[in-house]
């Protein structure tokens, strides 16, 4: 017993990364999700090498070509061309840059800002809490699109303006969520005990309270990612976001809408790419959320074992 | 055979963990007759609560029942079965260890008791409320009409445990499983709760499975005792036999480690060491490393065999193991 109890954790610790990969592989959906996320990131990074055409290159003779498997489709344009003869595939590959950057950075900034405000308000309580949450209330009631137009008008359009503006209009939901959890976690005996044995507020907040927030934060951030991709599309469509010749998936979906009935591929392929991205992030984040929770992690393991046993007995019966 | 209310045969419960399979119950068999009070005693982690959860169908992943069966009046009782719902929660009920968290803080006490009655007995709201008042006075709560409209946070721990018991007996069950019902309470309240249980046994003929690690409670309330150790029952017998002439060295150690006011010159025994881990339990006697009477012969698997009036799982049953240890 003594040997086995000391042996098992050391073996797990020795191969931390390999162990994590093995555990991820148990959840095939999450593994596929991670692979797709990595592929999308690589695609964005190496866009100039992969994309068959310049995404902005127009060709009037090759307008609105359908994808390759359709009657009029050609191998020159795998996913067809748009109303200006631009290659849809190349635009998707290049658009990944703007979309992924804006989505990821905005999510990160908004989540960080919102979490910090929420932690502060929930932990400090009292007047600080009231003040911070009133600021949140004011910001929430302020029409987002108006703020966006105002800032863009002042700073000029561009990816980073967009990131800043979208972060500014999206952090409140995090603050509200986090503040609620923190003010209830604060009352739990283990947090009171941590304060009692002399942990400084910083340690209590980041070591004892923050880990409780991982799972709701991940869930919310993914929901928000989709929102931000769509918000970016809306702002770009209005002409205040990503500026042509640069492109983004959202912009392509928005501008392809006018051709929906004669060229469905303009909306469909960028749209599908957004779906695939969000779905992959969801699958992987779900795995990550369970892994961050020791109890859930054991439960997942036990469920996998039960499934294996069922397969074995079914195999034996057949 | 069918004279038993509840019968458990060779029950095994495993927990699949990443470190390996934890064998929480390793072949537990016990039975209880109508109106009988059975105590399950043992130290922390011996499998007492898991046994109760298995009966109530509360074993959830990562745990699973991997062997054996549970019979209710001769019929298999599985939580998944249609009809089990009518038995579990109605004929078999459970009172949990912690009265502080077992009540819904957002519902009044009355609403929570009435819910049980409306659900299982199909009473109307008014009738259920009337019955709730009766129940509260039955469990010794004064001013029951007033208490019905109070929320759990307005009641003391003892009050809340009484409310839990009132909910437990609301449908006049045949069997009440009490999982350490007095652990969270102070001794005076503890005595009142136990008295209440004893009274209910007389008035409504309730059978009780009392799970505890407090031998004092056992002696006062129970008819029969099952002693658990490392996921197995190591000794069963009438409460008189167990206290008067314990046969398993572990039972002997347990009793001799409890202070007795009437015995002067005997020193208290402490059982040194800790129970074996259930990840990789020994194939032989699990108590061997801590047993003063153990020797090489104890290495073979031990099973519960009739001994005297009860049953013991020990090849040296009956010897006075702690004679020299004192």
């Amino acid at each position: 017993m003594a040997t086995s109890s000391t042996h098992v954790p050391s073996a797990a610790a020795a191969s931390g990364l390999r162990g994590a990969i093995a555990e991820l592989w148990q959840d095939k959906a999450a593994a596929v999700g991670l692979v797709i996320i990595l592929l999308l990131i690589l695609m964005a990074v190496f866009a100039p090498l992969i994309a068959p055409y310049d995404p902005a290159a127009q060709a009037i003779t090759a307008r609105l070509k359908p994808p390759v498997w359709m009657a009029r489709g050609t191998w020159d344009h795998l996913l067809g061309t748009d109303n200006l003869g631009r290659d849809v595939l190349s635009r998707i590959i290049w658009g990944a840059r703007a979309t992924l950057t804006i989505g990821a950075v905005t999510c990160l900034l908004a989540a960080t800002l919102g979490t910090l405000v929420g932690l502060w308000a929930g932990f400090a309580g009292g007047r600080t809490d009231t003040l911070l949450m009133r600021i949140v209330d004011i910001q929430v009631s302020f029409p987002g699109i108006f703020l966006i137009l105002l800032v863009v008008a002042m700073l000029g359009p561009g990816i980073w303006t967009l990131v800043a503006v979208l972060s500014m209009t999206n952090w409140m939901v995090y603050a509200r969520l986090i503040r609620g959890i923190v003010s209830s976690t604060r009352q739990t005996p283990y947090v009171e005990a941590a304060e009692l044995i002399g942990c400084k507020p910083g340690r209590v907040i980041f070591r004892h309270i923050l880990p409780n927030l991982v799972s709701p934060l991940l869930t919310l951030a993914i929901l928000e990612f989709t929102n931000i991709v769509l918000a970016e599309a809306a702002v770009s469509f209005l002409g205040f976001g990503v500026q042509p010749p640069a492109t983004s998936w959202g912009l392509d979906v928005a501008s392809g809408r006018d051709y929906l009935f004669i060229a469905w591929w303009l909306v469909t392929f960028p749209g599908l790419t957004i779906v695939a991205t969000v779905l992959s992030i969801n699958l992987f984040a779900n795995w990550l959320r369970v892994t961050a929770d020791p109890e859930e992690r054991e439960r997942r393991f036990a469920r996998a074992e039960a499934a294996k046993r069922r397969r074995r007995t079914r195999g034996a019966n057949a | 055979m069918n004279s038993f209310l509840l019968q458990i045969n060779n029950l095994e419960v495993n927990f699949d963990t990443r470190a390996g399979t934890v064998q929480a119950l390793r072949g537990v068999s016990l039975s209880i007759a109508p109106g009988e009070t059975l105590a399950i005693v043992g130290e922390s982690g011996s499998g007492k609560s898991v046994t109760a959860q298995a009966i109530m169908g509360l074993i959830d992943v990562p745990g699973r029942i991997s062997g054996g069966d549970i019979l209710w009046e001769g019929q298999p009782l599985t939580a998944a079965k249609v009809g089990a719902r009518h038995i579990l929660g109605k004929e078999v009920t459970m009172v949990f260890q912690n009265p502080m968290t077992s009540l819904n803080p957002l519902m009044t006490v009355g609403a929570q008791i009435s819910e049980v009655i409306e659900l299982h007995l199909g009473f109307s709201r008014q009738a259920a409320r009337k019955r709730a008042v009766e129940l509260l006075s039955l469990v010794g709560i004064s001013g029951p009409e007033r208490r019905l409209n109070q929320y759990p946070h307005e009641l003391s721990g003892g009050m809340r445990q009484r409310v839990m018991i009132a909910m437990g007996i609301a449908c006049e069950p045949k069997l009440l499983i009490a999982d350490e019902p007095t652990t969270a309470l102070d001794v005076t309240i503890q005595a009142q709760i136990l008295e209440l249980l004893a009274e209910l046994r007389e008035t409504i003929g309730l059978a009780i499975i009392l799970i505890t690690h407090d031998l004092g409670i056992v002696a006062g309330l129970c008819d029969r005792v099952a002693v658990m150790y490392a996921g197995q029952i190591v000794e069963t017998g009438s409460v008189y036999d167990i206290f008067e002439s314990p046969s398993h060295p572990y039972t002997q150690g347990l009793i001799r480690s409890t202070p007795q006011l009437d015995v002067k010159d005997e020193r208290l025994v402490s059982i040194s060491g800790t129970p074996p881990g259930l990840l990789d339990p020994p194939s032989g006697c699990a108590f061997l490393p801590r047993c003063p009477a153990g020797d090489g012969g104890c290495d073979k698997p031990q099973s519960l065999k009739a001994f005297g009036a009860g049953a013991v799982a020990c090849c040296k049953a009956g010897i006075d193991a702690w004679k020299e240890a004192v």
Side-chain angles (χ1 to χ4, degrees), chain B residues 56-81:
Chain B
M56 295 304 290
L58 294 177
I59 299 279
D60 199 5
V61 275
R64 66 191 158 91
I65 293 176
S66 49
D69 46 14
I70 302 169
L71 303 178
W72 175 254
E73 292 178 333
Q75 298 298 314
L77 180 67
T78 338
K81 258 181 93 161

PDB file of all heavy atoms in Angstrom, chain B residues 56-81:
ATOM      1  N   MET B  56     -30.197   3.506  -0.390  1.00  0.00           N
ATOM      2  CA  MET B  56     -31.080   4.569  -0.869  1.00  0.00           C
ATOM      3  C   MET B  56     -30.894   4.856  -2.362  1.00  0.00           C
ATOM      4  O   MET B  56     -31.541   5.743  -2.911  1.00  0.00           O
ATOM      5  CB  MET B  56     -30.817   5.865  -0.092  1.00  0.00           C
ATOM      6  CG  MET B  56     -31.158   5.811   1.380  1.00  0.00           C
ATOM      7  SD  MET B  56     -32.863   5.344   1.692  1.00  0.00           S
ATOM      8  CE  MET B  56     -33.757   6.775   1.122  1.00  0.00           C
ATOM      9  N   GLY B  57     -29.982   4.141  -3.001  1.00  0.00           N
ATOM     10  CA  GLY B  57     -29.745   4.384  -4.421  1.00  0.00           C
ATOM     11  C   GLY B  57     -29.040   5.701  -4.660  1.00  0.00           C
ATOM     12  O   GLY B  57     -29.230   6.352  -5.685  1.00  0.00           O
ATOM     13  N   LEU B  58     -28.221   6.118  -3.721  1.00  0.00           N
ATOM     14  CA  LEU B  58     -27.563   7.424  -3.829  1.00  0.00           C
ATOM     15  C   LEU B  58     -26.102   7.308  -4.261  1.00  0.00           C
ATOM     16  O   LEU B  58     -25.380   8.290  -4.236  1.00  0.00           O
ATOM     17  CB  LEU B  58     -27.626   8.162  -2.485  1.00  0.00           C
ATOM     18  CG  LEU B  58     -29.012   8.569  -2.020  1.00  0.00           C
ATOM     19  CD1 LEU B  58     -28.943   9.219  -0.652  1.00  0.00           C
ATOM     20  CD2 LEU B  58     -29.639   9.515  -3.017  1.00  0.00           C
ATOM     21  N   ILE B  59     -25.675   6.104  -4.626  1.00  0.00           N
ATOM     22  CA  ILE B  59     -24.297   5.948  -5.096  1.00  0.00           C
ATOM     23  C   ILE B  59     -24.212   6.559  -6.490  1.00  0.00           C
ATOM     24  O   ILE B  59     -24.933   6.181  -7.394  1.00  0.00           O
ATOM     25  CB  ILE B  59     -23.899   4.459  -5.176  1.00  0.00           C
ATOM     26  CG1 ILE B  59     -23.977   3.813  -3.804  1.00  0.00           C
ATOM     27  CG2 ILE B  59     -22.520   4.313  -5.777  1.00  0.00           C
ATOM     28  CD1 ILE B  59     -22.805   4.053  -2.913  1.00  0.00           C
ATOM     29  N   ASP B  60     -23.335   7.542  -6.625  1.00  0.00           N
ATOM     30  CA  ASP B  60     -23.237   8.251  -7.902  1.00  0.00           C
ATOM     31  C   ASP B  60     -21.794   8.158  -8.384  1.00  0.00           C
ATOM     32  O   ASP B  60     -20.902   7.866  -7.603  1.00  0.00           O
ATOM     33  CB  ASP B  60     -23.648   9.715  -7.684  1.00  0.00           C
ATOM     34  CG  ASP B  60     -24.015  10.375  -8.992  1.00  0.00           C
ATOM     35  OD1 ASP B  60     -24.043   9.672 -10.017  1.00  0.00           O
ATOM     36  OD2 ASP B  60     -24.267  11.582  -8.980  1.00  0.00           O
ATOM     37  N   VAL B  61     -21.577   8.406  -9.681  1.00  0.00           N
ATOM     38  CA  VAL B  61     -20.206   8.369 -10.164  1.00  0.00           C
ATOM     39  C   VAL B  61     -19.358   9.314  -9.319  1.00  0.00           C
ATOM     40  O   VAL B  61     -19.849  10.366  -8.943  1.00  0.00           O
ATOM     41  CB  VAL B  61     -20.090   8.791 -11.658  1.00  0.00           C
ATOM     42  CG1 VAL B  61     -20.335   7.633 -12.544  1.00  0.00           C
ATOM     43  CG2 VAL B  61     -20.941   9.984 -11.952  1.00  0.00           C
ATOM     44  N   PRO B  62     -18.121   8.950  -8.993  1.00  0.00           N
ATOM     45  CA  PRO B  62     -17.347   7.803  -9.480  1.00  0.00           C
ATOM     46  C   PRO B  62     -17.674   6.462  -8.816  1.00  0.00           C
ATOM     47  O   PRO B  62     -17.035   5.479  -9.159  1.00  0.00           O
ATOM     48  CB  PRO B  62     -15.920   8.225  -9.169  1.00  0.00           C
ATOM     49  CG  PRO B  62     -16.031   9.155  -8.029  1.00  0.00           C
ATOM     50  CD  PRO B  62     -17.305   9.859  -8.181  1.00  0.00           C
ATOM     51  N   GLY B  63     -18.642   6.421  -7.913  1.00  0.00           N
ATOM     52  CA  GLY B  63     -18.945   5.140  -7.268  1.00  0.00           C
ATOM     53  C   GLY B  63     -19.890   4.302  -8.100  1.00  0.00           C
ATOM     54  O   GLY B  63     -20.616   4.813  -8.933  1.00  0.00           O
ATOM     55  N   ARG B  64     -19.858   2.979  -7.881  1.00  0.00           N
ATOM     56  CA  ARG B  64     -20.840   2.122  -8.544  1.00  0.00           C
ATOM     57  C   ARG B  64     -20.998   0.845  -7.732  1.00  0.00           C
ATOM     58  O   ARG B  64     -20.065   0.383  -7.075  1.00  0.00           O
ATOM     59  CB  ARG B  64     -20.399   1.793  -9.978  1.00  0.00           C
ATOM     60  CG  ARG B  64     -19.159   0.944 -10.015  1.00  0.00           C
ATOM     61  CD  ARG B  64     -18.586   0.867 -11.415  1.00  0.00           C
ATOM     62  NE  ARG B  64     -17.190   0.515 -11.326  1.00  0.00           N
ATOM     63  CZ  ARG B  64     -16.755  -0.747 -11.350  1.00  0.00           C
ATOM     64  NH1 ARG B  64     -17.591  -1.746 -11.463  1.00  0.00           N
ATOM     65  NH2 ARG B  64     -15.467  -1.010 -11.248  1.00  0.00           N
ATOM     66  N   ILE B  65     -22.206   0.298  -7.778  1.00  0.00           N
ATOM     67  CA  ILE B  65     -22.436  -0.984  -7.127  1.00  0.00           C
ATOM     68  C   ILE B  65     -21.941  -2.046  -8.084  1.00  0.00           C
ATOM     69  O   ILE B  65     -22.439  -2.184  -9.194  1.00  0.00           O
ATOM     70  CB  ILE B  65     -23.936  -1.160  -6.811  1.00  0.00           C
ATOM     71  CG1 ILE B  65     -24.354  -0.139  -5.757  1.00  0.00           C
ATOM     72  CG2 ILE B  65     -24.207  -2.575  -6.333  1.00  0.00           C
ATOM     73  CD1 ILE B  65     -25.822  -0.147  -5.421  1.00  0.00           C
ATOM     74  N   SER B  66     -20.910  -2.788  -7.677  1.00  0.00           N
ATOM     75  CA  SER B  66     -20.283  -3.703  -8.625  1.00  0.00           C
ATOM     76  C   SER B  66     -20.626  -5.154  -8.333  1.00  0.00           C
ATOM     77  O   SER B  66     -20.210  -6.042  -9.058  1.00  0.00           O
ATOM     78  CB  SER B  66     -18.771  -3.498  -8.613  1.00  0.00           C
ATOM     79  OG  SER B  66     -18.294  -3.499  -7.287  1.00  0.00           O
ATOM     80  N   GLY B  67     -21.390  -5.403  -7.274  1.00  0.00           N
ATOM     81  CA  GLY B  67     -21.749  -6.786  -7.010  1.00  0.00           C
ATOM     82  C   GLY B  67     -22.746  -6.872  -5.874  1.00  0.00           C
ATOM     83  O   GLY B  67     -22.933  -5.926  -5.122  1.00  0.00           O
ATOM     84  N   GLY B  68     -23.398  -8.002  -5.774  1.00  0.00           N
ATOM     85  CA  GLY B  68     -24.335  -8.227  -4.690  1.00  0.00           C
ATOM     86  C   GLY B  68     -25.698  -7.646  -4.982  1.00  0.00           C
ATOM     87  O   GLY B  68     -25.914  -7.020  -6.022  1.00  0.00           O
ATOM     88  N   ASP B  69     -26.659  -7.865  -4.086  1.00  0.00           N
ATOM     89  CA  ASP B  69     -27.975  -7.279  -4.308  1.00  0.00           C
ATOM     90  C   ASP B  69     -28.626  -6.827  -3.001  1.00  0.00           C
ATOM     91  O   ASP B  69     -28.220  -7.223  -1.912  1.00  0.00           O
ATOM     92  CB  ASP B  69     -28.896  -8.221  -5.093  1.00  0.00           C
ATOM     93  CG  ASP B  69     -28.861  -9.638  -4.571  1.00  0.00           C
ATOM     94  OD1 ASP B  69     -28.326  -9.840  -3.442  1.00  0.00           O
ATOM     95  OD2 ASP B  69     -29.347 -10.531  -5.259  1.00  0.00           O
ATOM     96  N   ILE B  70     -29.617  -5.964  -3.180  1.00  0.00           N
ATOM     97  CA  ILE B  70     -30.344  -5.401  -2.053  1.00  0.00           C
ATOM     98  C   ILE B  70     -31.800  -5.809  -2.235  1.00  0.00           C
ATOM     99  O   ILE B  70     -32.394  -5.532  -3.276  1.00  0.00           O
ATOM    100  CB  ILE B  70     -30.214  -3.866  -2.047  1.00  0.00           C
ATOM    101  CG1 ILE B  70     -28.735  -3.469  -1.988  1.00  0.00           C
ATOM    102  CG2 ILE B  70     -30.969  -3.271  -0.880  1.00  0.00           C
ATOM    103  CD1 ILE B  70     -28.489  -2.000  -2.232  1.00  0.00           C
ATOM    104  N   LEU B  71     -32.358  -6.492  -1.252  1.00  0.00           N
ATOM    105  CA  LEU B  71     -33.737  -6.955  -1.358  1.00  0.00           C
ATOM    106  C   LEU B  71     -34.610  -6.205  -0.372  1.00  0.00           C
ATOM    107  O   LEU B  71     -34.267  -6.079   0.804  1.00  0.00           O
ATOM    108  CB  LEU B  71     -33.833  -8.458  -1.069  1.00  0.00           C
ATOM    109  CG  LEU B  71     -32.979  -9.399  -1.922  1.00  0.00           C
ATOM    110  CD1 LEU B  71     -33.170 -10.834  -1.471  1.00  0.00           C
ATOM    111  CD2 LEU B  71     -33.347  -9.257  -3.389  1.00  0.00           C
ATOM    112  N   TRP B  72     -35.756  -5.694  -0.857  1.00  0.00           N
ATOM    113  CA  TRP B  72     -36.737  -5.063   0.007  1.00  0.00           C
ATOM    114  C   TRP B  72     -37.945  -5.976   0.067  1.00  0.00           C
ATOM    115  O   TRP B  72     -38.575  -6.234  -0.959  1.00  0.00           O
ATOM    116  CB  TRP B  72     -37.122  -3.686  -0.550  1.00  0.00           C
ATOM    117  CG  TRP B  72     -38.218  -3.025   0.233  1.00  0.00           C
ATOM    118  CD1 TRP B  72     -39.516  -2.874  -0.134  1.00  0.00           C
ATOM    119  CD2 TRP B  72     -38.103  -2.451   1.529  1.00  0.00           C
ATOM    120  NE1 TRP B  72     -40.217  -2.248   0.833  1.00  0.00           N
ATOM    121  CE2 TRP B  72     -39.382  -1.965   1.884  1.00  0.00           C
ATOM    122  CE3 TRP B  72     -37.048  -2.300   2.442  1.00  0.00           C
ATOM    123  CZ2 TRP B  72     -39.632  -1.339   3.106  1.00  0.00           C
ATOM    124  CZ3 TRP B  72     -37.307  -1.668   3.644  1.00  0.00           C
ATOM    125  CH2 TRP B  72     -38.571  -1.191   3.968  1.00  0.00           C
ATOM    126  N   GLU B  73     -38.232  -6.513   1.207  1.00  0.00           N
ATOM    127  CA  GLU B  73     -39.302  -7.492   1.385  1.00  0.00           C
ATOM    128  C   GLU B  73     -39.212  -8.587   0.329  1.00  0.00           C
ATOM    129  O   GLU B  73     -40.202  -8.988  -0.279  1.00  0.00           O
ATOM    130  CB  GLU B  73     -40.670  -6.800   1.351  1.00  0.00           C
ATOM    131  CG  GLU B  73     -40.864  -5.898   2.570  1.00  0.00           C
ATOM    132  CD  GLU B  73     -42.179  -5.142   2.569  1.00  0.00           C
ATOM    133  OE1 GLU B  73     -42.707  -4.900   1.462  1.00  0.00           O
ATOM    134  OE2 GLU B  73     -42.665  -4.803   3.655  1.00  0.00           O
ATOM    135  N   GLY B  74     -37.996  -9.038   0.088  1.00  0.00           N
ATOM    136  CA  GLY B  74     -37.783 -10.144  -0.835  1.00  0.00           C
ATOM    137  C   GLY B  74     -37.624  -9.747  -2.287  1.00  0.00           C
ATOM    138  O   GLY B  74     -37.254 -10.564  -3.121  1.00  0.00           O
ATOM    139  N   GLN B  75     -37.938  -8.482  -2.621  1.00  0.00           N
ATOM    140  CA  GLN B  75     -37.847  -8.037  -4.014  1.00  0.00           C
ATOM    141  C   GLN B  75     -36.584  -7.198  -4.216  1.00  0.00           C
ATOM    142  O   GLN B  75     -36.251  -6.385  -3.363  1.00  0.00           O
ATOM    143  CB  GLN B  75     -39.057  -7.164  -4.380  1.00  0.00           C
ATOM    144  CG  GLN B  75     -40.386  -7.874  -4.298  1.00  0.00           C
ATOM    145  CD  GLN B  75     -40.466  -9.038  -5.263  1.00  0.00           C
ATOM    146  OE1 GLN B  75     -40.102  -8.912  -6.431  1.00  0.00           O
ATOM    147  NE2 GLN B  75     -40.912 -10.193  -4.778  1.00  0.00           N
ATOM    148  N   PRO B  76     -35.896  -7.391  -5.358  1.00  0.00           N
ATOM    149  CA  PRO B  76     -34.700  -6.583  -5.609  1.00  0.00           C
ATOM    150  C   PRO B  76     -35.042  -5.092  -5.632  1.00  0.00           C
ATOM    151  O   PRO B  76     -36.068  -4.696  -6.184  1.00  0.00           O
ATOM    152  CB  PRO B  76     -34.237  -7.045  -6.993  1.00  0.00           C
ATOM    153  CG  PRO B  76     -34.896  -8.348  -7.220  1.00  0.00           C
ATOM    154  CD  PRO B  76     -36.157  -8.345  -6.431  1.00  0.00           C
ATOM    155  N   LEU B  77     -34.184  -4.328  -5.017  1.00  0.00           N
ATOM    156  CA  LEU B  77     -34.419  -2.885  -4.910  1.00  0.00           C
ATOM    157  C   LEU B  77     -33.309  -2.169  -5.656  1.00  0.00           C
ATOM    158  O   LEU B  77     -32.173  -2.164  -5.232  1.00  0.00           O
ATOM    159  CB  LEU B  77     -34.406  -2.480  -3.429  1.00  0.00           C
ATOM    160  CG  LEU B  77     -34.629  -1.021  -3.097  1.00  0.00           C
ATOM    161  CD1 LEU B  77     -36.037  -0.613  -3.442  1.00  0.00           C
ATOM    162  CD2 LEU B  77     -34.377  -0.784  -1.620  1.00  0.00           C
ATOM    163  N   THR B  78     -33.643  -1.612  -6.797  1.00  0.00           N
ATOM    164  CA  THR B  78     -32.645  -0.840  -7.533  1.00  0.00           C
ATOM    165  C   THR B  78     -33.252   0.520  -7.829  1.00  0.00           C
ATOM    166  O   THR B  78     -34.422   0.612  -8.193  1.00  0.00           O
ATOM    167  CB  THR B  78     -32.265  -1.505  -8.869  1.00  0.00           C
ATOM    168  OG1 THR B  78     -32.579  -2.886  -8.774  1.00  0.00           O
ATOM    169  CG2 THR B  78     -30.814  -1.319  -9.154  1.00  0.00           C
ATOM    170  N   ALA B  79     -32.443   1.536  -7.675  1.00  0.00           N
ATOM    171  CA  ALA B  79     -32.948   2.898  -7.858  1.00  0.00           C
ATOM    172  C   ALA B  79     -33.493   3.099  -9.264  1.00  0.00           C
ATOM    173  O   ALA B  79     -34.418   3.869  -9.485  1.00  0.00           O
ATOM    174  CB  ALA B  79     -31.844   3.895  -7.563  1.00  0.00           C
ATOM    175  N   ALA B  80     -32.911   2.367 -10.232  1.00  0.00           N
ATOM    176  CA  ALA B  80     -33.305   2.574 -11.619  1.00  0.00           C
ATOM    177  C   ALA B  80     -34.672   1.956 -11.912  1.00  0.00           C
ATOM    178  O   ALA B  80     -35.307   2.264 -12.900  1.00  0.00           O
ATOM    179  CB  ALA B  80     -32.252   1.958 -12.543  1.00  0.00           C
ATOM    180  N   LYS B  81     -35.118   1.056 -11.023  1.00  0.00           N
ATOM    181  CA  LYS B  81     -36.341   0.322 -11.321  1.00  0.00           C
ATOM    182  C   LYS B  81     -37.595   1.157 -11.115  1.00  0.00           C
ATOM    183  O   LYS B  81     -37.680   1.965 -10.200  1.00  0.00           O
ATOM    184  CB  LYS B  81     -36.420  -0.910 -10.420  1.00  0.00           C
ATOM    185  CG  LYS B  81     -36.044  -2.173 -11.150  1.00  0.00           C
ATOM    186  CD  LYS B  81     -36.172  -3.341 -10.234  1.00  0.00           C
ATOM    187  CE  LYS B  81     -37.527  -3.980 -10.354  1.00  0.00           C
ATOM    188  NZ  LYS B  81     -37.516  -5.334  -9.824  1.00  0.00           N
TER     189      LYS B  81
END
